[in-house]
Amino acid sequence: MSSRMLRVLAGTAVLGVLAAGCGSQGGDAGAGASGGEKITLSLNLFGNMGFKELYAEYEAAHPNIKIVERTSAYNDHHRNLAAHLATKQGAADIEGIDTGFIAQFRGQPQHFTDLNQHGAAALKDRWLPWKWEASLAKTGAQIGYGTDVGGLAMCYRRDLFEKAGLPTDRDEVSKLWPDWTSYFEAGKKYTANKPEGAAFFDGAPQVFNAMVGQMPVGYYDTSDQVIVASNPELRKAYDQVLEAVAGGQSAKLVGSSPAWNTGFAKSQFATIACPAWMLAKIQDQGKEFAGQWDVAAIPGGGGNWGGAYLTVPAQSKHPKEAVELISWLTAPEQQIKVFTKHGILPSTVATYDKPEVKKLTHEFFNDAPIGEIFTTAALNLKPQYQGPRAGDIQTAIRDGMNRVEEGKQSADEAWAQILKDIDRIDK
Amino acid sequence: MTSVTTRPRRRLAYTLDVKGSPYIYIAPFFLLFGALGLFPLLYTAYVSMTDWNLLETTRQWVGFENYAELLTDDYFWNALFNTVSIWLLSTIPQLLVALVVAHMLNRSLRARTFFRMGVLLPNITSIVAVTIIFAQLFGRDFGMVNWAIQLVGLDPIDWQAGTLSSHIAISMIVIWRWTGYNALIYLAAMQAVPDHLYEAATIDGAGQWTQFWKITIPMLRPTIIFTAVVSTIGGFQIIAEPLLFQSGTGNPTGGSDRQFQTVGLYLYEQGFGLYEFGYASAIAWTLCLIIVVMALVNFSITRRIKSG
């Protein structure tokens, strides 16, 4: 065995010991909880979920509760959680889970506290129906309460549209693409007169994901069978996107890569499917484009990209207190605070009518009514069943589409390899 | 008479002290090695004989099935090819350049210590930072390397997309980071070469170059063996560079067609991406055996360097 592997294993062992140490500390604190002693509730999250200010408020109302939040990087967080659940050791009282991983963890409901046993049914109407269903296990157990969603819109550059002879007003732009076919038609018109170096969209897989998200059935049927090969809608969308790539509409940038970040600053694309949380990123990557970016509706009308859940692992020593905390954090009153302070879009429908949410506009994006645009997209999205390995399947398809964009394979060759890769994932 | 009774006891204590205490002194290392080295090694061997996915509750004994599967796994062979290719592309130039650099540092230079410490700087910089910067340099649209290539009038290269081009780019990172380190090791060995050999050679009329090949290289033989073996071990374990070269996407597939996925990265994908711990452990053990074999081959090749 390589010494690197040894180090990885050693590191894991050490982490396990440390985590176990933390866990037992929590246990000690909880032993005398009935006597009014302090209970420490730990939260393991990824990135900033905007809860920091709320903890103090909760602690003030519950003097016996102390809240400790730990954050780590997105991938590390979910990998650690999987390991902690499997070894039944080291998980926090509350663990955040991203939409991209929820289907995988939902497949192991035995590792989580069933919130339905703690009065979840009475709260069900708080959330968007698809948000609620995505964390519902086959056994009927509810493993998590939804925090935020991404919604989905189509951000576009007014200046580039104008140069290419397309309308710039956001309502007219939204009318330009009621569905994806008309979006690619608009792309054709744009490409015919496009400004030098600025393609129509950022990269094929990103557009494809937005399209798949709107389909009634995606990669899985409801019995967890992978149906990528037999779902004609998928292949149709795949061909549609790659045809647009062949027509020069794509900037061929891999999503989330450094080159993609540079693409914002260098104006390499005129449109990008953007969830609410991406607005901050677009702004950061190119401050000089204030007022040039605008937000139109997503083709097809509804969509979501991203969002998270709060769960209580079964190994928590204080399931009751932990469930109380997550149901408080995800309540509409708190979610409005998170939204107004951090711009993180809630998954709680009840907040969508509130003027703070509905009337919100964004100066950088030419005063676009982002509150209305994103809540409409979230409301219009029809629930789609997500299977356990949907994320890995998405990666296989992304790689395949990148191969076509890089000119290494034809669409057919890439598709054949995608199906082979998915067979391996699904075996 | 008292001395008769006490002497054997004292002698026993003395013997124990002399023969026994060294073991106590070295015990901490072996205890640590046992806990953090040997145990994981053996446990990984056990895990590699099971079908264990972290997401499933079952864990089955499958014997050598994982290894059998590995031998027919195209992606494993692809990863092995990539590993060997990147290793050759990085190690050979790296050691040759290190020899030359060490030779130059061994002369009487102005600010010698500054330069000697300077060559080690790349090695102590963060691998994450270095790789991300190199990924930018080798960027497709706005990379500096492509900019330079276009100045010369050539077509820009999509470095990440191609097999050879991505291997070259990753090798550059390795070369940049490790050349100085090896140069310092060679330098240390060069300083141990007795001066009178060079003096005698100079008197006999041998030039700089001849002295380098006929004296320095042979005298450095054990060091060259050492660096070759260490570079082999390091080169076959390479994982951070190819992982971060594809940075931001968070997926350890090593490019859209796995064109720069190394064995270490494939292990990581199977173990910590897909949670196939059994299969990943089999990859780990196979990789270990490959490294042992390659290190032995390397040892037998480099020891043929004529010793002075």
Side-chain angles (χ1 to χ4, degrees):
Chain A
M1 179 161 57
S2 65
S3 77
R4 189 178 297 275
M5 188 63 193
L6 286 181
R7 257 179 270 150
V8 169
L9 284 170
T12 316
V14 170
L15 280 180
V17 171
L18 288 177
C22 296
S24 68
Q25 263 175 8
D28 293 342
S34 51
E37 275 176 57
K38 278 225 158 181
I39 295 174
T40 303
L41 291 178
S42 52
L43 286 94
N44 277 359
L45 306 177
F46 50 95
N48 177 18
M49 293 174 84
F51 294 150
K52 291 250 162 64
E53 299 84 7
L54 296 173
Y55 297 148
E57 197 181 327
Y58 192 80
E59 284 170 343
H62 302 78
N64 63 328
I65 304 278
K66 187 173 176 298
I67 301 170
V68 181
E69 181 192 297
R70 287 188 293 256
T71 47
S72 42
Y74 179 85
N75 277 311
D76 296 342
H77 168 80
H78 291 97
R79 273 171 199 148
N80 288 342
L81 178 57
H84 290 157
L85 293 180
T87 54
K88 299 189 169 54
Q89 218 166 32
D93 295 304
I94 296 168
E95 291 272 355
I97 296 179
D98 182 74
T99 308
F101 282 91
I102 193 70
Q104 172 194 315
F105 285 109
R106 186 190 61 199
Q108 328 168 260
Q110 74 277 11
H111 289 317
F112 294 95
T113 304
D114 177 6
L115 300 172
N116 278 326
Q117 309 289 333
H118 289 79
L123 305 176
K124 186 181 166 185
D125 292 337
R126 269 186 189 174
W127 290 278
L128 293 157
W130 52 266
K131 184 81 179 175
W132 172 267
E133 275 170 40
S135 54
L136 199 59
K138 275 257 175 317
T139 57
Q142 178 54 268
I143 68 157
Y145 284 158
T147 56
D148 63 313
V149 290
L152 201 58
M154 188 60 80
C155 292
Y156 68 100
R157 282 276 299 273
R158 299 169 62 93
D159 53 334
L160 298 179
F161 267 41
E162 194 177 351
K163 279 185 203 150
L166 263 60
T168 55
D169 177 72
R170 82 175 67 88
D171 291 332
E172 280 177 53
V173 170
S174 297
K175 268 187 216 131
L176 202 59
W177 50 58
D179 54 22
W180 289 101
T181 310
S182 46
Y183 172 77
F184 294 121
E185 279 303 316
K188 248 184 221 165
K189 269 184 223 146
Y190 173 90
T191 310
N193 301 303
K194 70 169 185 178
E196 180 67 30
F200 188 55
F201 56 81
D202 57 332
Q206 292 90 295
V207 177
F208 180 75
N209 284 345
M211 295 169 80
V212 173
Q214 292 173 352
M215 296 175 185
V217 182
Y219 304 137
Y220 280 88
D221 67 13
T222 47
S223 57
D224 275 346
Q225 292 298 307
V226 177
I227 51 160
V228 176
S230 58
N231 184 350
E233 293 279 303
L234 288 173
R235 182 61 206 257
K236 205 180 128 212
Y238 173 88
D239 285 335
Q240 229 178 342
V241 178
L242 290 181
E243 203 189 298
V245 170
Q249 295 190 28
S250 171
K252 303 180 179 178
L253 296 167
V254 181
S256 306
S257 67
W260 183 72
N261 289 339
T262 316
F264 287 101
K266 296 276 186 183
S267 303
Q268 282 186 280
F269 43 85
T271 68
I272 183 168
C274 57
W277 50 262
M278 200 191 277
L279 300 184
K281 184 177 186 85
I282 294 174
Q283 198 172 351
D284 288 346
Q285 295 295 340
K287 292 222 179 349
E288 66 271 33
F289 302 120
Q292 307 289 7
W293 279 104
D294 206 327
V295 188
I298 189 86
N304 180 56
W305 178 2
Y309 293 84
L310 292 178
T311 65
V312 178
Q315 55 186 276
S316 166
K317 297 272 196 307
H318 316 287
K320 191 172 149 285
E321 290 79 4
V323 172
E324 274 168 23
L325 177 58
I326 64 169
S327 83
W328 185 82
L329 284 171
T330 56
E333 301 79 50
Q334 278 63 251
Q335 285 296 309
I336 289 177
K337 285 180 199 163
V338 170
F339 181 67
T340 48
K341 177 116 186 166
H342 299 278
I344 300 171
L345 185 68
S347 60
T348 40
V349 190
T351 62
Y352 289 5
D353 294 334
K354 299 282 185 287
E356 302 97 301
V357 178
K358 203 172 171 63
K359 297 269 184 271
L360 190 82
T361 59
H362 201 307
E363 202 189 338
F364 183 88
F365 292 86
N366 199 30
D367 291 320
I370 58 164
E372 199 187 330
I373 291 172
F374 286 107
T375 54
T376 308
L379 286 168
N380 279 346
L381 183 65
K382 303 277 180 304
Q384 179 198 81
Y385 183 79
Q386 294 282 317
R389 309 302 285 272
D392 297 323
I393 291 173
Q394 196 173 311
T395 304
I397 296 179
R398 182 200 69 187
D399 283 350
M401 296 185 102
N402 284 339
R403 288 195 293 275
V404 178
E405 292 200 311
E406 288 166 353
K408 289 202 285 207
Q409 288 181 346
S410 70
D412 283 331
E413 284 164 351
W415 185 256
Q417 191 170 328
I418 288 169
L419 293 184
K420 254 170 54 192
D421 284 346
I422 291 174
D423 274 346
R424 280 177 62 115
I425 294 166
D426 189 40
K427 71 162 195 279
Chain B
M1 290 303 283
T2 49
S3 62
V4 177
T5 53
T6 54
R7 194 173 293 155
R9 208 181 288 163
R10 218 179 258 169
R11 192 172 292 160
L12 183 68
Y14 177 75
T15 318
L16 269 182
D17 184 28
V18 169
K19 303 252 173 178
S21 57
Y23 292 100
I24 298 175
Y25 297 144
I26 60 168
F29 167 77
F30 283 96
L31 287 177
L32 277 178
F33 176 73
L36 303 177
L38 197 60
F39 169 71
L41 194 77
L42 297 175
Y43 188 65
T44 306
Y46 162 72
V47 172
S48 74
M49 306 274 182
T50 61
D51 181 12
W52 182 24
N53 187 305
L54 204 58
L55 302 182
E56 288 151 19
T57 39
T58 56
R59 190 166 166 184
Q60 268 180 325
W61 178 263
V62 293
F64 283 92
E65 246 175 60
N66 282 330
Y67 292 91
E69 195 185 328
L70 194 62
L71 292 181
T72 57
D73 182 349
D74 290 347
Y75 289 161
F76 172 72
W77 291 109
N78 169 62
L80 189 60
F81 163 77
N82 291 340
T83 310
V84 173
S85 162
I86 292 172
W87 168 65
L88 286 174
L89 283 171
S90 61
T91 306
I92 295 172
Q94 180 195 147
L95 294 186
L96 289 178
V97 174
L99 263 177
V100 176
V101 170
H103 184 63
M104 293 192 300
L105 287 176
N106 200 24
R107 301 219 198 135
S108 39
L109 294 167
R110 231 177 261 272
R112 204 156 55 162
T113 315
F114 171 78
F115 285 114
R116 285 178 181 176
M117 296 321 292
V119 295
L120 200 60
L121 272 181
N123 198 247
I124 58 170
T125 46
S126 146
I127 185 166
V128 178
V130 170
T131 309
I132 287 172
I133 289 170
F134 268 81
Q136 300 269 9
L137 291 179
F138 284 101
R140 182 192 63 189
D141 296 329
F142 303 105
M144 214 166 91
V145 177
N146 272 350
W147 171 76
I149 284 177
Q150 279 169 298
L151 278 188
V152 191
L154 296 169
D155 284 333
I157 297 169
D158 191 349
W159 291 94
Q160 273 201 25
T163 306
L164 182 65
S165 61
S166 60
H167 291 189
I168 291 174
I170 291 171
S171 300
M172 290 303 291
I173 307 173
V174 180
I175 292 170
W176 189 80
R177 278 195 86 222
W178 290 98
T179 302
Y181 169 84
N182 284 308
L184 275 199
I185 292 179
Y186 287 146
L187 176 63
M190 282 176 186
Q191 308 224 304
V193 179
D195 276 343
H196 62 81
L197 290 179
Y198 293 111
E199 284 161 18
T202 312
I203 292 166
D204 289 344
Q208 279 282 339
W209 198 235
T210 319
Q211 291 185 14
F212 181 69
W213 280 111
K214 299 278 176 182
I215 301 174
T216 314
I217 298 283
M219 291 300 284
L220 250 52
R221 195 179 73 123
T223 315
I224 292 173
I225 293 175
F226 170 77
T227 53
V229 170
V230 168
S231 302
T232 308
I233 296 172
F236 272 76
Q237 293 177 357
I238 187 169
I239 173 169
E241 288 88 348
L243 176 65
L244 294 164
F245 191 57
Q246 193 190 14
S247 69
T249 56
N251 282 88
T253 46
S256 61
D257 205 13
R258 296 167 187 269
Q259 66 268 24
F260 54 90
Q261 185 179 47
T262 58
V263 178
L265 200 53
Y266 188 48
L267 189 167
Y268 182 71
E269 184 197 3
Q270 290 293 326
F272 297 93
L274 304 173
Y275 304 111
E276 295 284 356
F277 274 34
Y279 198 56
S281 300
I283 299 173
W285 261 95
T286 311
L287 179 60
C288 176
L289 293 178
I290 291 171
I291 291 174
V292 169
V293 170
M294 288 311 294
L296 286 176
V297 168
N298 238 323
F299 177 74
S300 68
I301 292 173
T302 42
R303 74 189 293 212
R304 281 162 200 256
I305 296 171
K306 272 198 208 119
S307 59

